[in-house]
Amino acid sequence: MESPNDEKKGKSKNPRKSKDSVLKQKSPAEFFAENKNIAGFDNPGKSLYTTVRELVENSLDSAESISELPVVEITIEEIGRSKFNTMIGLIDRERVDQALYDDFETTKAREKRLAKEARDQEIQAKNAASGKKVKELTARAMKGRGEASFYRVTCKDNGKGMPHDDIPNMFGRVLSGTKYGLKQTRGKFGLGAKMALIWSKMSTGLPIEISSAMKNQNFTTFCRLDIDIHQNIPHVHLHDKRENKDRWHGAEIQVVIEGNWTTYRSKILHYMRQMAVITPYAQFLFKFVSETADKNVTVRFARRTDVMPPVPIETKYHPSAVDLLLIKRLIGETSKPGLLQFLQHEFVNIGKSHAERLIGEMGPDFSPKMVVKSLTSQQIVRIHQLFRQAKFDDPSGDCLSPAGEYNLRLGIIKELHPDMVATYSGSAQVFEGHPFIVEAGVSVGGKDVKHGLNIFRFANRIPLLFEQGADVVTRTAVKRINWGSYKINQTQDKIGIFVSIVSTKIPFKGTGKEYIGDDISEIASAVKSALQQCCIQLKSKIVKKIQAREQQERKRNMSKYIPSAADAIYDVLREATQIQASKKRRYSTEDTEILRKVSTGALTAETLKEKLARHVEQVDYEMALEYATQTGVSEEPRESIYMQSLDLKNNFIDLQSPVFIFRLLQ
């Protein structure tokens, strides 16, 4: 028999369930809050950059969706610790225990620093006395981590605005959005401003503020909200309608976050400049407002054209690009009852006859009129296998919206002012059933361009600034293009390389979506071909420029030797005149006439110099005329032309070509 003690011991052998074994769930908002680096919020500086990027891209999408020329104003306002504490209702408190803070300096460290500064000042004084260049000494900044690290980011646009009732869910519910179809879009995951709101919630606790109005709407929506991270629902502080006197339409979003302007200043400005290159039809106004006025920054990127790329079109899936899960979802969502209609309606490049052939290949269990929702799991697998094995035509690129050679060229000229530029737009190609188009531009020379390769990458018309080394564009430009064969010096010339890839699916590598891998042969080949086409165009221009330079060099050399050549010729003529006078030699009639002019003084050394100079000028003019005829460059006075203002409202008929727009006024 078991004793009571044994029974107690037996019970103790079954330990209570530990907390680690309890099943837990996380909301999407909580997941992204804990893994914020996935969305580009790695640190305060990167978070400030990503917030600006997401808000600007949302504004462009909004304006382009209603074919409105985008006007985007972005402002970053620096907020010091005292001002931030006032905003959240916190009273500043003087430090009591100085040694408790991370910027505390011990007496020994302070003495060491002062001694070093004194030595530096002595060296500076000696250098100044000896006339050497003096480097300005800067005082050590004794600043804690909490000071001047908060920023109010405001973005205002003239887009379509947002419906009043949808705003809370559009900003306060992660993984909800309007960009989930198969379509070329700047964003994909429904994060954007929501992630900025999550970062604001984590770093400052302050809500986001949204003002929005749709076209022809007589009221403006104002909403102040934050997000319940654990439940992934919006927490609305204020949501009301206000009078819209100006009939403004668009959105204005304001969020206060922790950031670092100092370390990411150049990245943010580079992003805005590259965005102006790829969207020359947009107008950007960027402002940084500092607590000290001398650090303020204002940059305006003016609109260069009013020709916008077409709006991307939502398309259907290519049979080779679907998986089992997607086929099941399409079956659940389709409005077509029969299998034949389902195949025709839900996929591209499957016509009626092709669909009938596919159904016949599936086996006796399938028929054109069978109810598609009655398909078993095994039958769906059979369809998937056939889709992977069968041959289908490639999808067209009609659904894509590339920037276009016209806009790409304008953007490069507007921002870089190069000496010469060439652009090329490739035809639509396919990888894994997704169409893509590669556009490229190569420039030589320009303003604010470094020597060597300056690479600008774009994916779905978004600048990519990080992880450049592993990108397919960088690797192609550095390793696969022989720049010397195109008369371009890879190290000494100022070379701008612009590559824009658009697709319904950009194959980004890594969670940050910052670069396109080099392992997709179709994209790598298309990038190389596009850059080579640009280089071929530039080579002909560079060769003609070299010829013109050599011609100028020849003219200088010839002009330099004119006095010596004229004196030598005149000496020979004068000696011949003396021989003729002594009747030791007889000359032809033409020679006798020349010698007579020499003897009478009608032909002198100065006369010969003038005639040789005119001859050199004549030869130079004829060669220059031939060069101008070949290149289309003329030095003749040009007739003035008058361009109509972009602000005037007119009806146009646009005839578009890859390299120009011909516009007819109605």
Tab-separated table of all heavy atoms in Angstrom, residues 542-584:
chain	number	residue	atom	x	y	z
A	542	ILE	N	30.881	61.460	-77.485
A	542	ILE	CA	32.218	61.676	-76.931
A	542	ILE	C	33.267	61.676	-78.038
A	542	ILE	O	34.193	62.498	-78.037
A	542	ILE	CB	32.530	60.597	-75.875
A	542	ILE	CG1	31.622	60.780	-74.655
A	542	ILE	CG2	33.993	60.652	-75.457
A	542	ILE	CD1	31.694	59.634	-73.661
A	543	VAL	N	33.125	60.750	-79.015
A	543	VAL	CA	34.077	60.690	-80.131
A	543	VAL	C	34.064	61.997	-80.913
A	543	VAL	O	35.113	62.541	-81.274
A	543	VAL	CB	33.749	59.497	-81.055
A	543	VAL	CG1	34.503	59.593	-82.363
A	543	VAL	CG2	34.078	58.178	-80.351
A	544	LYS	N	32.871	62.524	-81.188
A	544	LYS	CA	32.782	63.794	-81.919
A	544	LYS	C	33.358	64.948	-81.094
A	544	LYS	O	33.979	65.863	-81.631
A	544	LYS	CB	31.326	64.066	-82.278
A	544	LYS	CG	30.787	63.123	-83.351
A	544	LYS	CD	29.303	63.292	-83.552
A	544	LYS	CE	28.782	62.289	-84.582
A	544	LYS	NZ	27.312	62.343	-84.736
A	545	LYS	N	33.160	64.866	-79.788
A	545	LYS	CA	33.730	65.906	-78.926
A	545	LYS	C	35.256	65.832	-78.923
A	545	LYS	O	35.944	66.854	-78.949
A	545	LYS	CB	33.184	65.736	-77.500
A	545	LYS	CG	33.431	66.922	-76.603
A	545	LYS	CD	32.697	66.750	-75.278
A	545	LYS	CE	32.907	67.971	-74.395
A	545	LYS	NZ	32.205	67.820	-73.100
A	546	ILE	N	35.777	64.603	-78.912
A	546	ILE	CA	37.231	64.421	-78.970
A	546	ILE	C	37.774	64.949	-80.293
A	546	ILE	O	38.817	65.612	-80.347
A	546	ILE	CB	37.592	62.936	-78.781
A	546	ILE	CG1	37.287	62.492	-77.342
A	546	ILE	CG2	39.057	62.682	-79.111
A	546	ILE	CD1	37.426	60.997	-77.119
A	547	GLN	N	37.039	64.664	-81.402
A	547	GLN	CA	37.464	65.155	-82.713
A	547	GLN	C	37.482	66.680	-82.751
A	547	GLN	O	38.401	67.298	-83.305
A	547	GLN	CB	36.542	64.603	-83.799
A	547	GLN	CG	36.699	63.109	-84.033
A	547	GLN	CD	35.665	62.555	-84.995
A	547	GLN	OE1	34.671	63.212	-85.305
A	547	GLN	NE2	35.881	61.338	-85.470
A	548	ALA	N	36.465	67.279	-82.164
A	548	ALA	CA	36.420	68.750	-82.136
A	548	ALA	C	37.576	69.311	-81.314
A	548	ALA	O	38.186	70.322	-81.674
A	548	ALA	CB	35.083	69.211	-81.555
A	549	ARG	N	37.898	68.641	-80.194
A	549	ARG	CA	39.013	69.095	-79.359
A	549	ARG	C	40.338	68.949	-80.095
A	549	ARG	O	41.209	69.824	-80.018
A	549	ARG	CB	39.014	68.295	-78.051
A	549	ARG	CG	39.988	68.817	-77.023
A	549	ARG	CD	39.717	68.285	-75.622
A	549	ARG	NE	39.761	66.839	-75.582
A	549	ARG	CZ	38.721	66.061	-75.274
A	549	ARG	NH1	37.550	66.615	-74.996
A	549	ARG	NH2	38.837	64.758	-75.222
A	550	GLU	N	40.495	67.828	-80.812
A	550	GLU	CA	41.719	67.630	-81.596
A	550	GLU	C	41.841	68.661	-82.708
A	550	GLU	O	42.932	69.132	-83.031
A	550	GLU	CB	41.723	66.212	-82.177
A	550	GLU	CG	41.912	65.124	-81.129
A	550	GLU	CD	41.765	63.737	-81.725
A	550	GLU	OE1	41.302	63.634	-82.890
A	550	GLU	OE2	42.107	62.754	-81.027
A	551	GLN	N	40.698	69.014	-83.284
A	551	GLN	CA	40.700	70.042	-84.335
A	551	GLN	C	41.175	71.378	-83.769
A	551	GLN	O	41.994	72.074	-84.389
A	551	GLN	CB	39.293	70.179	-84.905
A	551	GLN	CG	39.122	71.323	-85.891
A	551	GLN	CD	37.651	71.615	-86.126
A	551	GLN	OE1	36.811	70.749	-85.960
A	551	GLN	NE2	37.358	72.834	-86.512
A	552	GLN	N	40.684	71.731	-82.590
A	552	GLN	CA	41.123	72.973	-81.957
A	552	GLN	C	42.619	72.934	-81.643
A	552	GLN	O	43.325	73.933	-81.769
A	552	GLN	CB	40.321	73.205	-80.668
A	552	GLN	CG	38.858	73.538	-80.900
A	552	GLN	CD	38.690	74.875	-81.595
A	552	GLN	OE1	39.453	75.812	-81.386
A	552	GLN	NE2	37.676	74.964	-82.452
A	553	GLU	N	43.079	71.743	-81.226
A	553	GLU	CA	44.493	71.597	-80.925
A	553	GLU	C	45.342	71.783	-82.188
A	553	GLU	O	46.396	72.423	-82.162
A	553	GLU	CB	44.736	70.220	-80.290
A	553	GLU	CG	46.147	69.995	-79.795
A	553	GLU	CD	46.498	70.890	-78.619
A	553	GLU	OE1	45.575	71.336	-77.902
A	553	GLU	OE2	47.703	71.167	-78.441
A	554	ARG	N	44.858	71.193	-83.295
A	554	ARG	CA	45.585	71.356	-84.567
A	554	ARG	C	45.630	72.824	-84.983
A	554	ARG	O	46.644	73.327	-85.468
A	554	ARG	CB	44.903	70.527	-85.663
A	554	ARG	CG	45.189	69.043	-85.589
A	554	ARG	CD	44.811	68.349	-86.895
A	554	ARG	NE	43.421	68.542	-87.220
A	554	ARG	CZ	42.433	67.736	-86.829
A	554	ARG	NH1	42.710	66.683	-86.058
A	554	ARG	NH2	41.189	67.958	-87.193
A	555	LYS	N	44.517	73.518	-84.796
A	555	LYS	CA	44.475	74.937	-85.165
A	555	LYS	C	45.480	75.733	-84.337
A	555	LYS	O	46.200	76.591	-84.874
A	555	LYS	CB	43.068	75.477	-84.937
A	555	LYS	CG	42.935	76.958	-85.277
A	555	LYS	CD	41.561	77.476	-84.909
A	555	LYS	CE	41.486	78.983	-85.100
A	555	LYS	NZ	40.178	79.531	-84.690
A	556	ARG	N	45.562	75.426	-83.025
A	556	ARG	CA	46.505	76.140	-82.170
A	556	ARG	C	47.941	75.863	-82.606
A	556	ARG	O	48.772	76.768	-82.657
A	556	ARG	CB	46.300	75.739	-80.710
A	556	ARG	CG	45.155	76.433	-80.025
A	556	ARG	CD	45.240	76.278	-78.515
A	556	ARG	NE	45.129	74.865	-78.129
A	556	ARG	CZ	43.984	74.254	-77.857
A	556	ARG	NH1	42.852	74.924	-77.953
A	556	ARG	NH2	43.972	72.989	-77.496
A	557	ASN	N	48.211	74.581	-82.922
A	557	ASN	CA	49.579	74.236	-83.341
A	557	ASN	C	49.954	74.914	-84.651
A	557	ASN	O	51.075	75.429	-84.818
A	557	ASN	CB	49.709	72.719	-83.476
A	557	ASN	CG	49.644	72.018	-82.132
A	557	ASN	OD1	49.947	72.636	-81.114
A	557	ASN	ND2	49.261	70.760	-82.125
A	558	MET	N	49.012	74.891	-85.608
A	558	MET	CA	49.281	75.528	-86.901
A	558	MET	C	49.483	77.028	-86.731
A	558	MET	O	50.396	77.624	-87.325
A	558	MET	CB	48.149	75.237	-87.874
A	558	MET	CG	48.092	73.780	-88.329
A	558	MET	SD	46.628	73.409	-89.296
A	558	MET	CE	46.993	74.342	-90.781
A	559	SER	N	48.640	77.649	-85.912
A	559	SER	CA	48.755	79.101	-85.709
A	559	SER	C	50.077	79.444	-85.023
A	559	SER	O	50.680	80.495	-85.289
A	559	SER	CB	47.580	79.599	-84.867
A	559	SER	OG	46.356	79.348	-85.529
A	560	LYS	N	50.551	78.543	-84.153
A	560	LYS	CA	51.788	78.809	-83.418
A	560	LYS	C	52.993	78.857	-84.371
A	560	LYS	O	53.948	79.622	-84.151
A	560	LYS	CB	51.973	77.706	-82.357
A	560	LYS	CG	53.202	77.886	-81.494
A	560	LYS	CD	53.185	76.919	-80.311
A	560	LYS	CE	53.290	75.485	-80.794
A	560	LYS	NZ	53.417	74.528	-79.661
A	561	TYR	N	52.951	78.042	-85.451
A	561	TYR	CA	54.108	77.958	-86.364
A	561	TYR	C	53.973	78.871	-87.584
A	561	TYR	O	54.859	78.879	-88.447
A	561	TYR	CB	54.300	76.517	-86.828
A	561	TYR	CG	54.710	75.587	-85.703
A	561	TYR	CD1	53.845	74.604	-85.244
A	561	TYR	CD2	55.962	75.724	-85.099
A	561	TYR	CE1	54.224	73.760	-84.202
A	561	TYR	CE2	56.340	74.886	-84.066
A	561	TYR	CZ	55.459	73.902	-83.609
A	561	TYR	OH	55.851	73.077	-82.582
A	562	ILE	N	52.896	79.646	-87.676
A	562	ILE	CA	52.708	80.530	-88.833
A	562	ILE	C	53.856	81.536	-88.977
A	562	ILE	O	54.413	81.689	-90.077
A	562	ILE	CB	51.332	81.237	-88.765
A	562	ILE	CG1	50.228	80.268	-89.201
A	562	ILE	CG2	51.309	82.492	-89.656
A	562	ILE	CD1	48.827	80.838	-89.050
A	563	PRO	N	54.282	82.266	-87.925
A	563	PRO	CA	55.379	83.246	-88.103
A	563	PRO	C	56.681	82.602	-88.611
A	563	PRO	O	57.307	83.112	-89.551
A	563	PRO	CB	55.565	83.822	-86.690
A	563	PRO	CG	54.242	83.606	-86.023
A	563	PRO	CD	53.729	82.310	-86.554
A	564	SER	N	57.058	81.466	-88.021
A	564	SER	CA	58.310	80.809	-88.451
A	564	SER	C	58.204	80.323	-89.883
A	564	SER	O	59.136	80.485	-90.697
A	564	SER	CB	58.615	79.635	-87.521
A	564	SER	OG	58.769	80.076	-86.191
A	565	ALA	N	57.032	79.710	-90.232
A	565	ALA	CA	56.851	79.192	-91.585
A	565	ALA	C	56.866	80.329	-92.602
A	565	ALA	O	57.486	80.226	-93.683
A	565	ALA	CB	55.542	78.405	-91.674
A	566	ALA	N	56.206	81.456	-92.277
A	566	ALA	CA	56.156	82.600	-93.199
A	566	ALA	C	57.548	83.186	-93.426
A	566	ALA	O	57.934	83.510	-94.569
A	566	ALA	CB	55.199	83.658	-92.650
A	567	ASP	N	58.323	83.322	-92.338
A	567	ASP	CA	59.688	83.868	-92.481
A	567	ASP	C	60.558	82.944	-93.333
A	567	ASP	O	61.340	83.409	-94.188
A	567	ASP	CB	60.310	84.050	-91.095
A	567	ASP	CG	59.673	85.196	-90.334
A	567	ASP	OD1	59.058	86.077	-90.979
A	567	ASP	OD2	59.745	85.202	-89.070
A	568	ALA	N	60.425	81.625	-93.119
A	568	ALA	CA	61.241	80.667	-93.883
A	568	ALA	C	60.876	80.705	-95.361
A	568	ALA	O	61.765	80.708	-96.239
A	568	ALA	CB	61.031	79.259	-93.318
A	569	ILE	N	59.576	80.769	-95.661
A	569	ILE	CA	59.134	80.815	-97.064
A	569	ILE	C	59.615	82.114	-97.725
A	569	ILE	O	60.079	82.122	-98.890
A	569	ILE	CB	57.591	80.692	-97.146
A	569	ILE	CG1	57.153	79.289	-96.695
A	569	ILE	CG2	57.099	80.961	-98.575
A	569	ILE	CD1	55.659	79.160	-96.519
A	570	TYR	N	59.520	83.207	-96.954
A	570	TYR	CA	59.937	84.497	-97.527
A	570	TYR	C	61.444	84.499	-97.811
A	570	TYR	O	61.894	85.035	-98.832
A	570	TYR	CB	59.567	85.637	-96.578
A	570	TYR	CG	59.863	87.000	-97.156
A	570	TYR	CD1	59.063	87.527	-98.164
A	570	TYR	CD2	60.963	87.731	-96.705
A	570	TYR	CE1	59.347	88.766	-98.715
A	570	TYR	CE2	61.254	88.975	-97.246
A	570	TYR	CZ	60.431	89.488	-98.248
A	570	TYR	OH	60.710	90.708	-98.792
A	571	ASP	N	62.234	83.891	-96.935
A	571	ASP	CA	63.685	83.808	-97.170
A	571	ASP	C	63.986	83.024	-98.447
A	571	ASP	O	64.872	83.407	-99.251
A	571	ASP	CB	64.377	83.152	-95.980
A	571	ASP	CG	64.393	84.061	-94.755
A	571	ASP	OD1	64.168	85.286	-94.928
A	571	ASP	OD2	64.585	83.551	-93.627
A	572	VAL	N	63.253	81.927	-98.660
A	572	VAL	CA	63.453	81.117	-99.875
A	572	VAL	C	63.092	81.931	-101.110
A	572	VAL	O	63.812	81.923	-102.126
A	572	VAL	CB	62.598	79.832	-99.800
A	572	VAL	CG1	62.612	79.095	-101.149
A	572	VAL	CG2	63.110	78.909	-98.693
A	573	LEU	N	61.966	82.678	-101.055
A	573	LEU	CA	61.535	83.491	-102.195
A	573	LEU	C	62.536	84.602	-102.482
A	573	LEU	O	62.846	84.926	-103.655
A	573	LEU	CB	60.142	84.072	-101.938
A	573	LEU	CG	58.984	83.056	-101.918
A	573	LEU	CD1	57.692	83.752	-101.515
A	573	LEU	CD2	58.835	82.383	-103.277
A	574	ARG	N	63.061	85.205	-101.446
A	574	ARG	CA	64.014	86.304	-101.637
A	574	ARG	C	65.322	85.783	-102.281
A	574	ARG	O	65.896	86.423	-103.159
A	574	ARG	CB	64.306	86.977	-100.300
A	574	ARG	CG	65.042	88.297	-100.429
A	574	ARG	CD	65.071	89.011	-99.101
A	574	ARG	NE	65.631	88.138	-98.062
A	574	ARG	CZ	65.702	88.495	-96.775
A	574	ARG	NH1	65.233	89.673	-96.401
A	574	ARG	NH2	66.215	87.669	-95.892
A	575	GLU	N	65.755	84.603	-101.846
A	575	GLU	CA	66.964	84.008	-102.430
A	575	GLU	C	66.726	83.646	-103.894
A	575	GLU	O	67.606	83.843	-104.757
A	575	GLU	CB	67.343	82.757	-101.633
A	575	GLU	CG	68.661	82.136	-102.074
A	575	GLU	CD	69.054	80.950	-101.230
A	575	GLU	OE1	68.446	80.784	-100.125
A	575	GLU	OE2	69.934	80.189	-101.659
A	576	ALA	N	65.511	83.139	-104.196
A	576	ALA	CA	65.178	82.820	-105.598
A	576	ALA	C	65.152	84.083	-106.452
A	576	ALA	O	65.531	84.061	-107.638
A	576	ALA	CB	63.824	82.111	-105.657
A	577	THR	N	64.710	85.171	-105.881
A	577	THR	CA	64.682	86.447	-106.611
A	577	THR	C	66.094	86.872	-106.988
A	577	THR	O	66.350	87.355	-108.107
A	577	THR	CB	64.005	87.535	-105.741
A	577	THR	OG1	62.707	87.096	-105.387
A	577	THR	CG2	63.905	88.852	-106.494
A	578	GLN	N	67.018	86.711	-106.053
A	578	GLN	CA	68.411	87.079	-106.333
A	578	GLN	C	69.011	86.184	-107.429
A	578	GLN	O	69.765	86.651	-108.289
A	578	GLN	CB	69.232	86.965	-105.050
A	578	GLN	CG	68.841	87.983	-103.990
A	578	GLN	CD	69.537	87.733	-102.662
A	578	GLN	OE1	70.275	86.741	-102.526
A	578	GLN	NE2	69.322	88.640	-101.701
A	579	ILE	N	68.667	84.884	-107.397
A	579	ILE	CA	69.178	83.952	-108.442
A	579	ILE	C	68.625	84.348	-109.803
A	579	ILE	O	69.349	84.342	-110.820
A	579	ILE	CB	68.784	82.503	-108.086
A	579	ILE	CG1	69.520	82.038	-106.826
A	579	ILE	CG2	69.082	81.548	-109.241
A	579	ILE	CD1	69.055	80.701	-106.292
A	580	GLN	N	67.352	84.732	-109.833
A	580	GLN	CA	66.751	85.136	-111.121
A	580	GLN	C	67.408	86.414	-111.639
A	580	GLN	O	67.656	86.564	-112.855
A	580	GLN	CB	65.245	85.343	-110.942
A	580	GLN	CG	64.517	85.634	-112.257
A	580	GLN	CD	63.092	86.064	-112.047
A	580	GLN	OE1	62.835	86.801	-111.104
A	580	GLN	NE2	62.194	85.612	-112.900
A	581	ALA	N	67.688	87.324	-110.720
A	581	ALA	CA	68.310	88.595	-111.136
A	581	ALA	C	69.707	88.361	-111.735
A	581	ALA	O	70.144	89.078	-112.657
A	581	ALA	CB	68.386	89.558	-109.952
A	582	SER	N	70.409	87.342	-111.239
A	582	SER	CA	71.742	87.044	-111.766
A	582	SER	C	71.707	86.171	-113.017
A	582	SER	O	72.743	85.820	-113.567
A	582	SER	CB	72.586	86.354	-110.688
A	582	SER	OG	72.002	85.111	-110.341
A	583	LYS	N	70.470	85.822	-113.428
A	583	LYS	CA	70.220	85.021	-114.633
A	583	LYS	C	70.946	83.670	-114.616
A	583	LYS	O	71.311	83.122	-115.626
A	583	LYS	CB	70.646	85.789	-115.899
A	583	LYS	CG	69.843	87.053	-116.110
A	583	LYS	CD	70.255	87.763	-117.378
A	583	LYS	CE	69.434	89.038	-117.571
A	583	LYS	NZ	69.824	89.739	-118.817
A	584	LYS	N	71.108	83.124	-113.396
A	584	LYS	CA	71.717	81.810	-113.282
A	584	LYS	C	70.695	80.695	-113.476
A	584	LYS	O	71.066	79.544	-113.697
A	584	LYS	CB	72.366	81.658	-111.893
A	584	LYS	CG	73.596	82.535	-111.708
A	584	LYS	CD	74.201	82.310	-110.342
A	584	LYS	CE	75.432	83.179	-110.142
A	584	LYS	NZ	76.041	82.974	-108.787
